[in-house]
Amino acid sequence: MLVPFKNSERMKERTVERLRQIEALGPETLRERLVRVFFGCLASVACGMLYAVYLSTYHDRKFWFSTRQELEREITFQGGSGVYYYYYKRLIAAPSFERGFYELVVDNRTVSGQTINAVERLSLYPELITSFIYRVTGSQDFVEPIYFYIGAVLGLQAVYVTALFVCSWVMSGTWVAGMLAVAWYVINRADTTKVDHGLPLRDNWALPYFSWQVTALTGFLRNKIGSSTEMFCYLTMSATTFTFLLVWEHSHYVLFIQGFCLFLLDSFDLVPPRKIADIHKVYLSSLFLAYMFQFQNTALLSSPLLSLLIGSVLASENCFQLGVGPLVARVMKLFLHFYLVFTSGITYSYLVKVNHMGAGHLDFILKFLEVKFGLNTTTDFVPNFLLCQESFQTPGQDLFLRLMQASVLPFYFLVLTVCLLSALQAIYRRLSGQPLCKTYSLENGGIGEHPEVVYHVFHTMLFGGLALMKYLWTPYVCMFTAFGVCSPDLWMTVFKWLKLKSIHPVVLSLILSTAVPTIIGFSLWREFSPRVLAELSELQEFYDADTVELMSWIKSQAPVAAVFAGSPQLLGAVKLCSGSAVTSLPVYSDIKLLKRTEDTYQVYAMRSAEDIYKLLTAQKTNYVIIEESICNELTLNKGCRIKDLLDISNGHIVYDKGEIYSFSKYGRFCHEIKMNYSPYTNYFTRVFWNRSYHVYKVNSVISFQY
């Protein structure tokens, strides 16, 4: 009766022995590895190029771009992003690159009454680099400046997609994961990129570099990596970290989240201290270079990333590491380590902000954070205006519904749960004093013992938990999920927990890591490829006749030295199309410009004609543009309408039995001025109007007519 059982046991032993023999044959031959790498690189580059062609075709179809005149093309830069293209066009038109750079550093032709360093204020290094390449390569002989600029942005999106492909490939070991990551990224394009909202936006330039920085960091953290590959990853990480800091003013906040993930890895002894020290060198050198290139930007001195690095150095000097001892002692040392890092980092950041930025700037930051996380409320316009921007708002349920329909979210939670539980097991073993497994093989099934996997677990959880903008979180959800479903290690980890014996878990994990992504890819192709292709076949009609008419009037009728006031988004288009000076810019990281924006927006408040006149003349305004879309704004989110924010800030809100009313002894200025009666006609004269815009000249001499 025991013979069949013994035979089955022997068969299992033979299967295991054969698998071990296969593994004992060593790594694949050099020829096989080169072939696999060649086809993987070919697939990644092909995905990037096809995505760039797709975006270019979609952009041309959406705006009829190739058939428009120059003015109509420029108006397609939406969301205030036209101001960036204006500076690029200005650099191209300058007699020399050096002269154009000087005019941007000492710019007195943009914001009325101010001389600003536009390169520093608006992070114009993408425009500097692109215009320099355009000049040096002689592209002006065969490519129009606007096509070269758009091509640079779309080319970086191809780089972005390629980086996601490579990152998923590096983590899973198969480039099938890269293709699945790209497929999910393209299907969820509305939630993965802001290219549709504005091509020149800073994050469209910066995030491709960040994606390659994450890819290089992923390779650098791996345990099984050669010295030459490690050096390549280190150099790539250094270059992309510096570039990322250079082209986006918010990049150091993103790197702080990344640095905190690495801090957790270091605290739990999941990565060699040598590698953490090397990464800290990359951060510090990149911060120093960016500080110098950005004209001694004090924001980098007080950045949370630098504070975290200083706290980590001080903690390492005091040697609050896990060391040896019982579990309770190790946990206490860990808490002391955390306490020292954060107290020293916060103290340093506070001192720098007070000394270099002033107490007022620090108070604004603290007030903004309190309101953001629901710890306080404020009636100030600027914090509430910033919180109403999409970048600072929590994603709605529609985002998760779209991810669910594309099958990303269910598999994401599966992959995240398995990797998180396995990572917690590895952390518990380290806290208990047990060493991690030194020889990583498929049979071990410990996916949480791979440092790069644990890093990405922390990475995606922090980005999602902190409710940062979805354009940072969603692409890495696609990449992380594709890695998980294509990784034999993940399936093997699950089977080890289930103690599967009927079928050998190694064989089953290899089968599932191939079958599951194949089924997902086939279903995605069947359901979503018609939609993606339909976007290219549909000819959309984007023609803003009212804006074209307004810009044509400004270019032909307004004086060259005129100063215009209006919403920041519209002023960006005014600056691009006419070159006229404006009262503010669509820049939400500069407190002074935001205060000027608040004064300009008062034309939509319930203020007197005299008050508005004083505010506009203080900014040397000659013409003010009133937009019907803001004056008569009707949205479901009434608390974020410009006129509601102004009423709250000006104290014109009355609460009566749970209802909210706006009340003032003056009517809403944007409505009252259209009546053409005194005292509004004393201060303002209407010079242009159509369905969307009313332009009023600010009278230099007040004529009192009754």
Side-chain angles (χ1 to χ4, degrees):
M1 297 294 293
L2 297 177
V3 173
F5 177 76
K6 289 182 179 180
N7 290 337
S8 62
E9 287 295 323
R10 288 176 181 173
M11 290 179 64
K12 288 184 179 180
E13 290 177 1
R14 289 176 182 174
T15 304
V16 173
E17 186 64 27
R18 286 175 183 173
L19 291 170
R20 287 176 178 172
Q21 289 176 358
I22 293 173
E23 292 181 359
L25 291 176
E28 56 193 339
T29 64
L30 180 61
R31 180 182 297 178
E32 292 174 346
R33 181 178 299 179
L34 289 177
V35 170
R36 186 167 61 89
V37 171
F38 172 77
F39 281 105
C41 292
L42 187 64
S44 64
V45 173
C47 287
M49 293 180 65
L50 287 174
Y51 181 63
V53 171
Y54 163 74
L55 285 180
S56 178
T57 307
Y58 177 77
H59 180 266
D60 188 70
R61 292 274 183 167
K62 180 178 180 180
F63 299 112
W64 295 32
F65 202 77
S66 58
T67 60
R68 299 295 189 191
Q69 299 297 321
E70 184 68 18
L71 177 63
E72 298 168 355
R73 289 177 180 174
E74 292 177 349
I75 290 175
T76 61
F77 290 103
Q78 300 173 309
S81 61
V83 69
Y84 298 112
Y85 179 70
Y86 160 76
Y87 282 109
Y88 166 79
K89 190 170 68 170
R90 184 169 162 183
L91 283 166
I92 295 296
S96 65
F97 177 80
E98 293 78 9
R99 180 63 184 176
F101 177 74
Y102 174 77
E103 290 179 352
L104 264 61
V105 173
V106 187
D107 182 14
N108 55 9
R109 295 161 48 187
T110 299
V111 180
S112 61
Q114 288 189 3
T115 299
I116 64 172
N117 185 341
V119 178
E120 179 186 5
R121 286 275 188 100
L122 282 80
S123 300
L124 293 180
Y125 275 99
E127 284 68 32
L128 286 172
I129 297 171
T130 307
S131 62
F132 179 76
I133 296 174
Y134 185 76
R135 285 175 176 270
V136 171
T137 57
S139 300
Q140 60 268 23
D141 297 332
F142 52 89
V143 180
E144 294 182 46
I146 194 168
Y147 279 108
F148 189 86
Y149 187 75
I150 292 175
V153 179
L154 299 183
L156 280 178
Q157 304 314 303
V159 171
Y160 195 174
V161 165
T162 304
L164 294 176
F165 184 108
V166 174
C167 189
S168 186
W169 176 17
V170 168
M171 293 181 66
S172 64
T174 172
W175 48 267
V176 175
M179 299 189 71
L180 184 59
V182 172
W184 269 326
Y185 179 90
V186 175
I187 290 170
N188 297 281
R189 184 170 54 85
D191 303 308
T192 55
T193 178
K194 295 175 72 174
V195 171
D196 287 354
H197 302 285
L199 281 172
L201 295 178
R202 300 300 87 181
D203 28 345
N204 289 337
W205 288 98
L207 291 182
Y209 296 106
F210 179 63
S211 63
W212 271 110
Q213 192 261 7
V214 170
T215 303
L217 177 62
T218 302
F220 185 77
L221 290 175
R222 296 186 70 191
N223 290 307
K224 297 169 61 177
I225 181 174
S227 58
S228 58
T229 306
E230 182 177 317
M231 179 56 66
F232 175 76
C233 292
Y234 181 79
L235 294 176
T236 304
M237 183 169 52
S238 302
T240 51
T241 302
F242 165 66
T243 310
F244 181 55
L245 283 169
L246 192 65
V247 301
W248 194 23
E249 66 272 19
H250 301 306
S251 55
H252 58 90
Y253 296 108
V254 179
L255 290 177
F256 165 71
I257 302 299
Q258 184 186 79
F260 182 72
C261 297
L262 297 171
F263 165 73
L264 294 177
L265 286 176
D266 183 38
S267 300
F268 295 127
D269 284 349
L270 297 176
V271 67
R274 173 187 61 84
K275 290 190 176 183
I276 294 296
D278 289 341
I279 296 171
H280 285 175
K281 292 176 184 177
V282 170
Y283 284 150
L284 289 173
S285 60
S286 299
L287 283 170
F288 173 75
L289 290 175
Y291 172 77
M292 298 303 297
F293 273 81
Q294 292 180 351
F295 308 91
Q296 290 79 47
N297 185 4
T298 55
L300 294 178
L301 289 180
S302 61
S303 66
L305 175 62
L306 185 57
S307 302
L308 178 64
L309 293 176
I310 291 175
S312 299
V313 171
L314 291 176
S316 62
E317 290 294 331
N318 288 271
C319 298
F320 279 119
Q321 300 296 325
L322 292 182
V324 295
L327 178 62
V328 176
R330 291 168 178 269
V331 174
M332 290 300 297
K333 288 181 180 180
L334 192 63
F335 277 115
L336 287 174
H337 181 68
F338 283 6
Y339 175 78
L340 180 60
V341 169
F342 288 107
T343 52
S344 56
I346 292 172
T347 302
Y348 165 79
S349 180
Y350 175 80
L351 293 176
V352 171
K353 281 186 170 70
V354 170
N355 292 330
H356 291 273
M357 296 184 176
H361 190 276
L362 180 60
D363 291 341
F364 172 79
I365 294 176
L366 293 176
K367 180 184 292 186
F368 175 78
L369 293 176
E370 287 177 354
V371 177
K372 167 63 180 173
F373 294 105
L375 302 177
N376 200 354
T377 58
T378 182
T379 59
D380 291 349
F381 175 84
V382 173
N384 290 329
F385 174 71
L386 290 176
L387 290 173
C388 285
Q389 303 303 308
E390 184 184 9
S391 300
F392 293 104
Q393 289 189 329
T394 304
Q397 294 182 353
D398 54 339
L399 167 65
F400 302 103
L401 289 175
R402 288 192 295 270
L403 294 178
M404 184 73 72
Q405 291 173 354
S407 73
V408 182
L409 208 57
F411 286 104
Y412 168 71
F413 283 126
L414 170 65
V415 173
L416 181 62
T417 302
V418 174
C419 293
L420 179 60
L421 292 177
S422 183
L424 292 176
Q425 284 184 337
I427 292 172
Y428 178 77
R429 283 199 293 272
R430 294 301 296 129
L431 290 174
S432 301
Q434 302 176 20
L436 296 178
C437 182
K438 298 296 183 182
T439 58
Y440 294 91
S441 63
L442 185 57
E443 285 188 24
N444 294 331
I447 195 170
E449 296 185 3
H450 298 268
E452 70 275 13
V453 174
V454 182
Y455 158 71
H456 279 283
V457 169
F458 293 151
H459 179 108
T460 184
M461 289 181 61
L462 285 174
F463 274 153
L466 292 176
L468 296 175
M469 64 177 185
K470 62 183 179 181
Y471 304 104
L472 274 171
W473 179 67
T474 315
Y476 292 98
V477 167
C478 299
M479 184 277 299
F480 185 74
T481 308
F483 137 73
V485 298
C486 296
S487 174
D489 289 327
L490 182 132
W491 297 106
M492 188 64 192
T493 301
V494 175
F495 296 147
K496 291 286 285 187
W497 290 342
L498 298 176
K499 297 181 180 179
L500 185 67
K501 295 182 179 179
S502 58
I503 302 176
H504 197 276
V506 174
V507 177
L508 187 58
S509 63
L510 291 172
I511 294 173
L512 288 179
S513 63
T514 304
V516 172
T518 302
I519 296 172
I520 295 174
F522 178 76
S523 62
L524 292 178
W525 174 265
R526 183 177 179 181
E527 181 175 357
F528 291 98
S529 60
R531 302 185 190 180
V532 174
L533 296 176
E535 290 182 342
L536 301 181
S537 60
E538 293 177 359
L539 287 174
Q540 302 184 38
E541 178 60 36
F542 180 87
Y543 184 72
D544 193 347
D546 292 341
T547 304
V548 172
E549 185 181 5
L550 172 65
M551 298 305 163
S552 300
W553 180 86
I554 292 175
K555 292 183 68 174
S556 60
Q557 301 296 326
V560 177
V563 176
F564 284 84
S567 68
Q569 291 78 11
L570 181 61
L571 292 182
V574 170
K575 188 64 189 174
L576 170 60
C577 298
S578 67
S580 300
V582 295
T583 58
S584 186
L585 291 172
V587 180
Y588 301 139
S589 58
D590 191 304
I591 303 301
K592 294 180 181 179
L593 286 177
L594 285 170
K595 290 294 184 182
R596 291 174 67 95
T597 298
E598 179 182 4
D599 291 341
T600 304
Y601 269 138
Q602 294 297 327
V603 297
Y604 302 104
M606 294 185 291
R607 302 281 294 270
S608 67
E610 183 179 2
D611 290 344
I612 302 299
Y613 182 80
K614 289 179 180 179
L615 289 172
L616 294 177
T617 52
Q619 297 180 355
K620 305 183 184 302
T621 305
N622 302 118
Y623 296 91
V624 57
I625 306 173
I626 295 178
E627 301 174 55
E628 289 291 333
S629 59
I630 300 178
C631 187
N632 300 309
E633 186 177 3
L634 296 174
T635 60
L636 296 176
N637 191 6
K638 293 185 177 181
C640 276
R641 297 184 303 182
I642 295 298
K643 52 187 178 183
D644 295 336
L645 296 175
L646 291 168
D647 291 345
I648 294 173
S649 176
N650 296 332
H652 296 157
I653 292 292
V654 177
Y655 297 91
D656 182 23
K657 298 179 181 179
E659 298 292 333
I660 302 176
Y661 302 96
S662 298
F663 176 78
S664 173
K665 64 179 181 179
Y666 301 105
R668 198 166 299 280
F669 179 85
C670 62
H671 289 313
E672 298 295 324
I673 194 174
K674 298 172 189 174
M675 303 298 180
N676 287 327
Y677 60 79
S678 182
Y680 297 94
T681 54
N682 301 338
Y683 298 101
F684 305 96
T685 302
R686 189 167 67 176
V687 293
F688 172 85
W689 70 94
N690 58 25
R691 293 176 302 174
S692 302
Y693 305 103
H694 293 255
V695 181
Y696 291 87
K697 182 180 180 182
V698 181
N699 297 332
S700 56
V701 178
I702 304 175
S703 59
F704 290 96
Q705 302 174 2
Y706 298 94

